[in-house]
């Protein structure tokens, strides 16, 4: 039996390798030629335990890969494993699936019987649509959803809980029997087979994941009812779990489920087709919300851990209120994520996935290296093409006397001038008139000049080549330039590009002037005290730098242009010359015995993109963040050290390097770099510290084609684990059904802590001025860890209502961490007080709130009763013996129990 697998991503590659292990002849099909070539060499793009070993075992034997759909002609079964990312509305985007169907139709014989199996995660009705597209072909369509867990995918393939197969007609035994032969290995192991119709099979995938969430939210909501009527949720959960039809998993009343996500200000590196842009997760989400069908690639890695681009499949956001984990590394790079986010760490020479909460100090984080997505072609910017759909085009003119004289009869019919012979006389035409004559423009491109005022005080070329000179000019601009906007003498809005150097930097000043002279761009110079400025007045050139190159217009919003990332390697080095000469410095250390290179910026995006550009060229820099000169804005200082790195970068400074070269020539020894370990295609940094920070707001999730991406400061990290609850909600809505239970699942999960707070508020009516003792500060007993701490969330809600909080935890470090947190928030010593003694905490309080599962029954509640102002206990963990404290006169309120 011959099998084809279309799509060699996460699902498809494991399916292909698994079927090859069963002895089938398998062909994997993918549109990525480079990926296919590497797969045929036995190189896996995925990092799953056992996958590469199986791939090497079978490749070029009974397993091959190709970009051609021709092998499908001879296949008996075709598995479709293409991506189905969500659009901005939450619907699955099926364009890749339907494109694959059209390709299949082009090569298969209409009369030759085949089975097409859809393994992609698809909404209800997809299999039926596919069959409709293939109605003229002798095929059966089978739904066969996957249930692989990332990190355990190979194990899960060979050890599934069940095999789900959906068919059009269960009376038609032929496709059923064939699929049972394909999965005979599982039949023989006694794995349950679910033979059903298409729609049922399609729903099983979403329903399985969503139901786990539903159980959690169900028990949380049931706790509210138990609380209201006097039931005991702990006994209810235990009794329910003893019923084998229900089971005891996911029936613990608590704070609900979450999802792995990034803080909105973390960055990733995005390619919309013109090169890499550094964007925050929030910016990318907002951008794709406007236009969800854009093709987007994300900076990631290939199977050799070398920097590479992969497809973005999905980006989502959700509300979050809890601690985030901050992983801080040895080179000053860090990342802020939710506690269950999967983190890539290096284990020996292989990647391993750990949840953020399990990462330990000393674990190695990966920084991939290597040039990517560059070619040998100089990038060209056609100014007229860039401005033709902008307001600028109305006031832009083109001057070229030779072109106008030689081509006047061709141009004349396009002119909107009242006196057309004036055009012939001065050689100047309105840009909007000449744009339709594209072939003619191309003929004279080298001599066409553009301007926006009639006196042509400043003209620019109609074509810019990002060659070595212009790349240096961009670098100088990012370091020493900005754009000002003001009103000129005639009331006309004007823009000026200004470069400002120290008067002593003659080499760099002359370099900028020479570049501008070659481009024929006029400028003026102003020398004042020790400053030397070069000023260009040109709206068009300002537009190129701001909008086309996306350089920004001031020191706070600058970043490296996407075009630089797409340029040849020698152009990148020239760009580095400009940016480092402008804001970089050579720093003598250790009594002039050593050197390092420093570059400072207040733009987070520029710091991120510069570190990644250096990383792609094999230069590993460290990062320091600080506030300079009483500034309230962070400065990002990038440092490059190590003999070989300093020599390579130092030479970019030109003549200035001669004053420092002797120092590196006299290095006694080439000291091994400190803070990182360099390998062939990657570098590793050690985790130095792990911190927690409370956060309330939106967090963002992404999914990439290989489950990996480069995030802040060049760190390799796993993408987020997707959730299916919201996707299932969307399918209900698309079928005009109100998903009451599933929506409630989502809502209950978000509302649990609010419900408990309202329970407290409902007793007192007005919390303003009330004082509460919060017992337990960390997220669980015997730790100083504030992550997932319900106590912190509850304290914040109490403070917002005007209450005063006194806190206690048996762990000293937990108390210290809480003090530090509320000092940063400005509340400690004013509305929040942390004590080392439980009896001091409860003294004169209006109520006691238990938030951590210590055994408080051992405390002297008779003594506590004499210290409090009012005998009221809110037991958020159901740990106290209610009868014991009630006998002492306390009012007791638990979660789902009285």
């Amino acid at each position: 039996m011959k099998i084809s697998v279309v799509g060699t991503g996460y699902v498809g590659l494991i399916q292909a390798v698994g079927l090859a292990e069963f002895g089938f002849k398998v062909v994997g099909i993918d549109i990525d030629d480079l990926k296919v070539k590497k797969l045929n060499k036995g190189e896996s793009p995925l990092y799953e335990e056992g996958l590469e070993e199986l791939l090497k075992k079978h490749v070029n034997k009974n397993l091959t890969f190709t970009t051609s759909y021709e092998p499908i002609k001879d296949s008996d079964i075709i598995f479709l494993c293409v991506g189905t990312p969500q659009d901005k509305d939450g619907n699955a985007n099926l364009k890749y699936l339907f494109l694959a169907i059209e390709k299949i139709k082009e090569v298969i014989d209409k009369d030759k019987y085949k089975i097409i199996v859809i393994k992609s995660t698809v909404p209800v009705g997809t299999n039926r649509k596919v069959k409709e597209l293939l109605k003229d072909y002798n095929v059966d369509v089978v739904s066969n959803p996957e249930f692989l867990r990332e990190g355990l995918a190979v194990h899960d393939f060979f050890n599934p809980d069940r095999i789900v197969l959906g068919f059009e007609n269960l009376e038609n035994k032929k496709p059923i029997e064939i699929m049972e032969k394909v999965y005979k290995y599982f039949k023989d192991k006694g794995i349950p087979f679910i033979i059903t119709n298409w729609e049922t099979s399609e729903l099983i995938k979403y329903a399985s994941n969503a139901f786990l969430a539903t159980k959690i939210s169900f028990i949380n909501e049931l706790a509210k009812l138990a609380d209201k009527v006097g039931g005991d949720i702990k006994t209810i959960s235990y009794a329910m779990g003893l019923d084998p039809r229900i089971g005891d998993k996911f029936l613990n009343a608590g704070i609900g489920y979450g999802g792995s996500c990034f803080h909105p200000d973390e960055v990733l590196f995005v390619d919309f087709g013109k090169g890499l842009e550094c964007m925050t997760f929030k910016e990318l989400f907002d951008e794709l919300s406007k236009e969800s069908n854009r093709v987007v690639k994300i900076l990631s890695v290939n199977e050799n851990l070398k920097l590479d681009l992969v497809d973005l499949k999905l980006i989502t956001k959700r509300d979050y209120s809890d601690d985030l984990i901050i992983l801080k590394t040895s080179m000053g790079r860090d990342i802020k994520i939710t506690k269950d986010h999967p983190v890539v760490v290096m284990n020996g020479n292989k990647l391993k996935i750990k949840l953020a909460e399990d990462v330990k100090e000393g674990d190695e984080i990966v920084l991939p290296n290597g040039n990517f997505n560059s070619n040998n072609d100089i990038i060209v910017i056609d100014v007229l093409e860039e401005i033709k759909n902008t307001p600028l085009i109305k006031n832009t003119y083109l001057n070229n006397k030779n072109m106008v004289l030689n081509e006047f009869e061709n141009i004349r019919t396009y002119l909107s001038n009242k006196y057309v012979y004036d055009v012939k006389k001065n050689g100047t035409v309105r840009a909007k008139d000449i744009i339709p004559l594209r072939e003619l423009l191309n003929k004279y491109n080298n001599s066409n000049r553009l301007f926006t005022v009639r006196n042509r005080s400043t003209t620019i070329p109609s074509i810019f080549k990002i060659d070595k000179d212009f790349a240096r000019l961009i670098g100088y601009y990012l370091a020493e330039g900005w754009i000002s906007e003001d009103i000129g003498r005639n009331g006309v809005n004007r823009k000026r590009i200004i470069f400002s150097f120290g008067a002593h930097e003659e080499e760099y000043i002359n370099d900028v002037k020479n570049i501008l002279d070659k481009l024929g761009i006029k400028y003026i110079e102003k020398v004042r005290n020790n400053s030397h400025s070069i000023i260009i007045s040109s709206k068009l050139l300002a537009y190129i730098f701001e909008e086309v190159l996306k350089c920004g217009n001031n020191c706070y919003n600058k970043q490296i242009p996407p075009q630089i990332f797409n340029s040849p390697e020698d152009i990148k080095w020239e760009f580095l010359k400009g940016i480092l000469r402008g804001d970089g410095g050579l720093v003598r250390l250790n009594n002039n015995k050593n050197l390092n290179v420093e570059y400072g910026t207040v733009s987070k995006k520029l710091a991120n993109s510069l570190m990644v550009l250096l990383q792609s060229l094999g230069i590993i820099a460290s990062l320091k963040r600080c506030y300079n000169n009483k500034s309230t804005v962070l400065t990002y200082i990038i440092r490059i050290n190590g003999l070989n790195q300093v020599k390579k970068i130092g030479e970019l400074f030109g003549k200035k390097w001669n004053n420092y070269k002797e120092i590196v020539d006299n290095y006694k020894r080439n000291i091994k770099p400190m803070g990182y370990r360099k390998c062939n295609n990657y570098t590793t940094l050690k985790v130095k510290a792990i911190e927690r920070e409370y956060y309330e707001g939106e967090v963002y999730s992404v999914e990439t084609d290989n489950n990996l991406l480069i995030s802040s400061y060049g760190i390799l990290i796993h993408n987020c684990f997707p959730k299916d609850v919201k996707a299932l909600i969307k399918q209900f809505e698309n079928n005009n059904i109100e998903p009451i239970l599933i929506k409630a699942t989502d809502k209950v999960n978000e509302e649990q802590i609010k419900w408990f707070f309202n329970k407290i508020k409902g007793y007192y009516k007005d919390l303003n001025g009330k004082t509460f003792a919060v017992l337990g500060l960390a997220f669980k007993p015997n730790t100083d860890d504030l992550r997932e701490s319900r106590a912190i969330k509850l304290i914040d809600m109490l403070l917002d209502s005007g209450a005063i909080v006194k806190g206690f935890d048996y762990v000293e470090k937990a108390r210290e961490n809480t003090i530090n947190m509320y000092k940063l928030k400005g509340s400690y010593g004013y509305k929040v007080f942390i004590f080392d003694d439980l009896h001091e905490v409860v003294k004169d309080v209006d109520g006691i709130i238990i938030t951590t599962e210590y055994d408080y029954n051992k405390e002297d509640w008779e003594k506590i009763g004499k210290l409090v102002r009012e005998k009221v206990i809110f037991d958020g963990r159901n740990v106290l013996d209610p009868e014991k404290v009630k006998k002492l006169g306390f009012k007791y309120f638990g979660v789902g129990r009285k």
Side-chain angles (χ1 to χ4, degrees):
M1 192 180 295
K2 296 180 180 179
I3 296 175
S4 291
V5 177
V6 179
T8 61
Y10 188 80
V11 176
L13 182 55
I14 291 168
Q15 182 75 11
V17 170
L19 292 174
E21 177 72 1
F22 291 160
F24 295 107
K25 187 174 180 60
V26 182
V27 176
I29 299 169
D30 201 289
I31 60 173
D32 188 334
D33 183 59
L34 181 61
K35 183 179 182 182
V36 164
K37 287 178 180 177
K38 291 179 177 178
L39 285 169
N40 280 323
K41 293 178 183 177
E43 300 173 1
S44 172
L46 304 176
Y47 304 97
E48 285 287 339
E49 185 175 353
L51 178 58
E52 189 156 275
E53 290 80 358
L54 284 173
L55 177 62
K56 289 179 177 177
K57 177 181 177 182
H58 296 291
V59 75
N60 297 321
K61 295 173 186 175
N62 60 330
L63 175 61
T64 57
F65 298 90
T66 180
T67 57
S68 172
Y69 275 73
E70 283 298 315
I72 286 176
K73 189 178 293 184
D74 298 322
S75 296
D76 302 295
I77 303 175
I78 304 162
F79 282 87
L80 294 181
C81 305
V82 298
T84 54
Q86 285 179 304
D87 61 23
K88 65 178 181 180
D89 297 320
N91 294 302
N93 188 337
L94 301 176
K95 66 178 181 180
Y96 302 112
L97 182 73
F98 294 144
L99 180 62
I101 295 298
E102 293 305 314
K103 291 282 189 182
I104 291 170
K105 288 166 65 175
E106 291 175 7
V107 297
I108 64 174
D109 296 330
K110 286 189 174 182
D111 298 327
K112 189 174 181 181
Y113 179 76
K114 295 186 185 301
I115 291 178
I116 295 179
V117 184
I118 298 180
K119 285 202 74 69
S120 303
T121 301
V122 295
V124 176
T126 303
N127 282 264
R128 198 166 293 279
K129 289 178 183 177
V130 169
K131 182 59 187 270
E132 178 64 22
L133 292 171
L134 295 165
K135 62 183 178 181
D136 297 327
Y137 293 79
N138 185 18
V139 299
D140 275 312
V141 177
V142 179
S143 172
N144 178 212
E146 57 85 16
F147 299 94
L148 304 178
R149 294 172 295 172
E150 293 178 12
L152 294 170
V154 174
H155 173 272
D156 286 352
F157 178 86
F158 291 105
N159 301 276
D161 296 316
R162 72 282 204 197
I163 299 295
V164 178
L165 297 169
F167 300 90
E168 179 183 20
N169 179 9
L170 299 183
E171 297 299 319
N172 179 11
K173 301 300 182 184
K174 184 176 181 179
I176 297 175
E177 291 171 357
I178 292 174
M179 290 305 299
E180 287 180 337
K181 287 180 183 178
V182 171
Y183 290 139
K184 181 178 182 298
Y185 173 83
F186 303 129
K187 267 285 194 197
D188 293 344
K189 287 183 68 173
I191 302 298
F193 272 57
I194 311 301
I195 308 297
T196 185
N197 60 25
W198 285 332
E199 287 76 13
T200 304
S201 177
E202 288 165 334
L203 272 174
I204 286 172
K205 167 68 175 179
Y206 288 107
S208 297
N209 289 347
F211 186 66
L212 298 181
T214 302
K215 288 182 74 174
I216 296 170
S217 289
F218 173 81
I219 203 66
N220 283 336
E221 188 156 37
L222 187 63
K224 299 174 187 177
L225 177 60
D227 187 89
K228 189 79 172 178
V229 301
D232 189 313
I233 197 63
K234 294 184 82 171
T235 305
I236 294 169
S237 298
Y238 174 72
M240 288 174 65
L242 293 176
D243 188 330
R245 297 170 301 173
I246 298 173
D248 61 350
K249 301 297 184 184
F250 300 95
L251 279 180
N252 295 317
I255 61 171
Y257 56 88
S260 54
C261 296
F262 294 87
H263 187 278
D265 292 338
E266 293 299 325
V267 304
L268 68 172
F269 300 88
V270 186
D271 191 341
F272 291 110
K274 293 186 177 180
L276 280 191
E277 297 179 44
C278 179
M279 301 183 76
T280 66
F281 280 83
K282 183 182 187 308
E283 287 172 337
L284 179 59
F285 182 89
D286 292 345
E287 180 73 17
L288 294 181
S289 294
K290 302 172 194 171
E291 189 179 351
S292 62
N293 291 326
R294 297 178 72 177
V295 176
V296 183
K297 288 189 176 292
I298 300 294
L299 185 60
S300 180
V301 292
N302 62 19
E303 63 276 11
N304 297 318
L305 285 185
K306 185 171 177 273
L307 288 171
D308 205 352
L309 296 173
V310 299
D311 289 331
L312 173 69
K313 296 169 66 177
L314 173 70
I315 181 166
T316 60
K317 70 176 180 179
R318 68 183 179 92
D319 291 328
Y320 183 82
S321 55
D322 220 316
D323 283 355
L324 294 173
I325 290 182
I326 307 168
L327 300 178
K328 297 194 168 187
T329 74
S330 52
M331 298 287 282
R333 308 179 191 218
D334 58 29
I335 191 165
K336 192 180 295 185
I337 47 183
T338 55
K339 63 107 178 176
D340 56 352
H341 193 98
V343 177
V344 178
V345 298
M346 185 58 66
N347 184 18
N349 61 352
K350 290 189 176 182
L351 296 183
K352 182 179 179 181
I353 306 299
K354 281 188 172 184
L355 296 185
E357 64 180 330
D358 297 327
V359 174
K360 306 294 183 186
E361 291 184 17
D363 281 343
E364 289 186 307
I365 302 295
V366 181
L367 297 181
N369 308 326
N371 210 351
F372 61 94
N373 201 38
S374 61
N375 50 57
N376 295 320
D377 298 328
I378 298 293
I379 291 174
V380 175
I381 297 173
D382 187 325
V383 180
L384 286 178
E385 282 297 309
E386 296 292 347
I387 68 169
K388 69 180 182 181
N389 296 319
T390 74
L392 269 177
I393 194 66
K394 294 179 181 178
N395 298 310
T396 297
Y397 298 85
L398 183 146
N399 178 262
N400 189 331
K401 284 190 176 182
N402 286 336
M403 180 186 76
V404 172
L405 286 172
N406 295 339
E407 311 288 348
F408 185 71
E409 293 306 317
N410 294 327
I411 294 171
R412 181 176 179 176
T413 57
Y414 290 88
L415 298 178
S416 59
N417 301 60
K418 183 176 181 180
Y419 304 105
V420 295
Y421 284 97
D422 286 349
V423 173
K424 189 173 184 178
K425 181 181 177 180
N426 57 39
T428 298
V429 298
R430 290 186 173 97
K432 65 183 179 64
D433 294 344
I434 200 73
I435 277 180
L437 299 172
R438 175 47 61 188
E439 289 187 11
L440 188 150
L441 282 170
N442 292 342
K443 182 179 177 181
Y444 292 90
N445 260 340
N446 291 335
S447 53
N448 291 332
R449 306 291 297 183
L450 302 176
F451 60 94
T452 58
V453 290
R454 294 307 299 265
N455 61 12
R456 303 202 305 272
S457 60
T458 305
T459 69
I460 68 169
S462 67
I463 296 292
F464 282 95
K465 293 181 179 179
I466 303 184
D467 54 14
K468 292 182 179 180
D469 284 342
F470 197 61
R472 283 202 314 284
L473 186 69
I474 295 170
Y476 284 127
Y477 171 78
L478 287 176
E480 300 287 14
W482 73 92
I483 295 173
S484 69
E485 188 170 358
D486 57 26
I487 304 298
R489 284 172 294 182
N490 299 322
V492 177
N493 180 275
R494 63 183 181 182
K495 287 194 173 185
R496 294 177 174 181
I497 300 174
I498 304 168
F499 296 83
S500 182
F501 293 91
H504 64 285
E505 297 178 295
E506 292 183 10
E507 181 185 359
Y508 308 155
I509 294 167
N510 289 332
D511 194 17
V512 170
K513 289 163 60 177
N514 287 335
I515 295 169
L516 293 173
D517 288 340
K518 287 179 184 178
L519 293 169
I521 298 174
K522 292 182 181 180
Y523 54 88
I524 62 172
E525 298 177 77
K526 288 187 177 180
V527 180
R528 186 177 300 167
N529 298 327
N530 294 318
S531 173
H532 190 129
S533 297
I534 299 170
I535 304 169
I536 307 154
S537 182
S538 171
K539 285 184 182 178
L540 290 172
L541 190 59
Y543 183 84
I544 294 301
F545 274 90
E546 278 189 274
E547 303 298 333
V548 179
L549 296 173
K550 300 185 178 181
C551 288
N553 57 19
N554 61 59
C555 59
Y556 301 106
N557 61 20
K558 289 180 178 176
Q559 66 172 313
I560 296 176
Q563 295 87 345
I564 292 295
F565 282 101
N566 262 10
S567 293
E569 188 168 325
D570 59 340
I571 300 297
K572 295 175 182 176
W573 283 107
E574 290 297 317
F575 165 79
L576 286 175
K577 279 185 184 179
I579 195 169
L580 291 174
R581 288 174 176 185
D583 263 353
L586 294 157
V587 182
R588 292 182 173 92
L589 305 169
N590 194 19
N591 293 323
N592 290 332
K593 293 180 181 178
N594 300 105
L595 278 180
N596 72 17
V597 179
E598 289 190 358
Y599 178 87
T601 177
V602 292
S603 168
K604 182 180 179 181
K605 287 187 177 180
L606 182 54
N608 267 279
S609 52
L610 181 55
M611 292 184 81
V612 167
L613 181 65
L614 288 168
Q615 202 167 304
S616 73
L617 297 171
I619 303 295
I620 305 303
S622 64
L623 178 71
K624 179 183 177 182
R625 287 171 288 264
C626 59
Y627 292 95
N628 289 339
N629 301 324
K630 299 182 180 179
S631 171
T632 58
V633 179
L634 270 177
T635 297
Y636 300 83
I637 299 175
I638 296 169
R639 288 177 174 158
I640 300 166
N641 54 31
L643 176 59
N644 293 331
Q645 292 196 148
V646 170
K647 285 176 68 175
K648 199 167 187 178
I649 296 298
E651 292 170 355
L652 302 179
F653 284 85
K655 294 177 183 177
K656 185 177 181 179
W657 177 240
N658 295 331
N659 300 324
Y660 298 86
K661 187 173 179 295
E662 185 178 354
I663 295 176
V664 297
D665 289 341
N666 291 330
Y667 266 47
K668 299 300 182 184
R669 56 194 175 116
N670 187 0
I671 300 173
K672 186 177 179 181
M674 298 180 64
Y676 64 91
R677 178 171 64 90
K678 205 163 185 179
C679 303
N680 289 334
N681 292 329
Y682 64 89
T683 300
T684 64
L685 309 177
K686 287 191 175 180
V687 176
K688 288 188 69 175
I690 302 168
E691 297 180 0
R692 271 81 187 179
E693 176 183 287
Y694 180 76
Y695 171 75
E696 185 169 357
E698 293 173 338
V699 288
Y700 292 78
S701 299
V702 296
E703 188 177 348
T704 68
D705 202 37
N706 68 348
N707 306 308
L708 299 169
L709 69 147
I710 302 298
S711 188
S712 300
Y713 311 113
I715 293 172
L716 177 67
I717 195 160
H718 205 281
N719 67 198
C720 314
F721 289 143
K723 300 293 181 184
D724 286 329
V725 174
K726 285 182 171 59
L728 189 56
I729 289 172
K730 195 64 188 176
Q731 291 189 52
F732 271 90
E733 293 174 344
N734 290 342
N735 285 279
N736 298 315
I737 301 171
E738 178 65 18
I740 298 170
L741 178 59
I742 306 300
K743 272 190 173 179
T745 293
D746 205 33
K747 185 176 181 180
V748 169
N749 180 63
E750 301 296 332
E751 294 292 324
Q752 191 68 8
I753 190 66
K754 296 177 184 177
W755 169 82
F756 187 65
F757 169 74
N758 286 332
K759 186 185 187 72
I760 300 169
K761 189 175 181 181
Y763 176 81
Y764 294 96
K765 308 302 181 188
D766 184 6
L767 297 178
N768 188 39
K770 298 291 184 183
T771 302
F772 293 94
V774 176
L775 305 186
L777 301 170
F779 86 105
K780 67 177 183 179
N782 303 313
T783 179
D784 63 351
D785 194 346
L786 301 184
R787 65 187 171 89
E788 292 288 347
S789 172
R790 297 296 81 188
I792 301 301
K793 172 66 176 175
L794 197 59
I795 289 172
D796 286 341
M797 296 173 83
L798 290 167
L799 295 179
D800 288 342
S801 296
I804 297 169
V805 175
K806 301 169 71 176
F808 170 80
D809 196 290
Y810 288 113
V811 177
E812 180 182 359
K813 193 68 165 90
R815 301 194 295 270
E816 292 176 5
N817 289 344
T818 306
I819 290 171
N820 292 333
M821 174 183 290
Y822 283 101
K823 279 183 176 178
L824 288 174
K825 292 183 178 184
S827 300
Y828 189 73
Y830 168 57
K831 290 202 129 187
V832 178
F833 305 88
I834 307 300
F835 292 86
D836 295 335
D837 181 78
L838 185 143
H839 294 130
E840 283 295 316
V841 171
V842 299
K843 189 175 181 180
D844 297 324
V845 299
D846 296 289
I848 296 172
I849 305 171
I850 295 176
T851 51
T852 308
E853 296 172 274
Y854 287 108
D855 182 10
Y856 293 103
N857 289 294
K858 65 184 180 182
E859 293 292 343
D860 187 345
W861 285 95
E862 186 173 357
K863 181 178 179 180
I864 291 172
K866 294 176 182 177
L867 294 171
V868 298
R869 184 179 299 144
E870 185 176 355
K871 292 184 175 181
V872 184
I873 300 171
F874 297 91
D875 187 356
R877 297 296 182 177
N878 293 339
V879 293
L880 281 182
D881 180 348
E883 298 307 317
K884 175 181 176 181
V885 292
K886 285 178 183 178
K887 287 179 181 178
L888 295 173
F890 283 93
K891 293 179 181 178
Y892 175 87
F893 301 93
V895 178
R897 64 198 298 238
K898 298 292 186 181

